[in-house]
Amino acid sequence: MTARILTVDDSASIRLTTRVALSNAGYSVTEAVDGRDGLAKLSAGQFDLVVTDLNMPNMDGLTMIRELRKIPALMGVPVIFLTTESDNELKAQAKAAGATGWLTKPFDPESLVKIAKKVLGR
């Protein structure tokens, strides 16, 4: 069965880049435009991995992770941060919130696929 991945980013070009990279690797990709939209889609569907931006309108990625970790059915879903930020304190906050991994923008699509395969085990 194909892994289902939710990408959450307010940038249409980043959503396109991540969707193409992950779809070409055989994953089923759904897109959300911000953390609020991401939480709604997570609550309505089943996903094996979330790839999220940090800075977004309405709800940022860190808040979204904290909220999704409160939902028992989503507690085990891995989350990869995809952001321009590389601050160690922010990384620690993301890890404490429940982020599984971190990839700094701009990113190589192959690196994203490699991390997805590692996290998903497929």
Side-chain angles (χ1 to χ4, degrees), residues 46-63:
Q46 293 185 337
F47 295 95
D48 302 298
L49 173 65
V50 176
V51 178
T52 184
D53 186 20
L54 174 60
N55 298 309
M56 297 178 283
N58 301 315
M59 181 184 289
D60 63 55
L62 199 55
T63 302

Side-chain angles (χ1 to χ4, degrees), residues 47-50 68-79 98 100 119-120:
F47 295 95
D48 302 298
L49 173 65
V50 176
L68 80 86
R69 293 299 184 222
K70 293 178 184 174
I71 302 170
L74 301 175
M75 292 179 81
V77 176
V79 179
T100 310
V119 169
L120 292 166

Side-chain angles (χ1 to χ4, degrees), residues 21 27 32 34 36 49 63-64 71 77 88 90 100 116:
Y27 298 117
D34 60 32
R36 187 180 301 164
L49 173 65
T63 302
M64 184 189 77
I71 302 170
V77 176
N88 285 334
L90 190 56
T100 310

